[in-house]
């Protein structure tokens, strides 16, 4: 994507609803949230486009609770 960028843990937490950093990593480990990318020796980031897609999927699960994703 042309405007895609890596987001910090702080930005990622806000997008996900002000959840804790530990929750971000726990959800990522369980496959319930986009995984971070290693972007430097001591730095990770989440792609903005993947977080936007995750938000859209969460909205669909809420609108259509009988779908397999809601289980």
């Amino acid at each position: 994507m042309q405007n895609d960028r890596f987001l910090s843990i702080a930005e990622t937490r806000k997008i996900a609803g002000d959840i804790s950093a530990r929750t971000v990593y726990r959800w990522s480990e369980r496959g319930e949230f986009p995984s971070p990318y290693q972007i430097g020796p001591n730095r990770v980031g989440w792609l903005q486009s993947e977080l936007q897609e995750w938000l859209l999927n969460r909205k669909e699960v809420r609108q259509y609770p009988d779908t397999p994703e809601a289980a």
Side-chain angles (χ1 to χ4, degrees):
M1 297 192 126
Q2 290 178 347
N3 295 326
D4 213 1
R5 67 184 187 102
F6 287 111
L7 302 179
S8 68
I9 184 66
E11 293 170 303
T12 299
R13 288 178 56 218
K14 287 196 180 292
I15 287 174
D18 277 333
I19 60 175
S20 71
R22 180 65 198 126
T23 298
V24 169
Y25 286 105
R26 188 173 49 245
W27 287 358
S28 293
E29 290 167 5
R30 293 192 307 217
E32 299 171 1
F33 194 76
S35 296
Y37 290 86
Q38 190 74 42
I39 56 176
N42 299 309
R43 184 83 167 164
V44 296
W46 286 259
L47 276 178
Q48 185 175 16
S49 61
E50 291 180 0
L51 295 176
Q52 289 171 338
E53 183 178 335
W54 177 82
L55 284 171
L56 288 174
N57 287 338
R58 297 303 312 149
K59 186 177 176 183
E60 287 177 14
V61 168
R62 181 176 176 199
Q63 287 177 346
Y64 308 103
D66 294 331
T67 61
E69 296 85 25

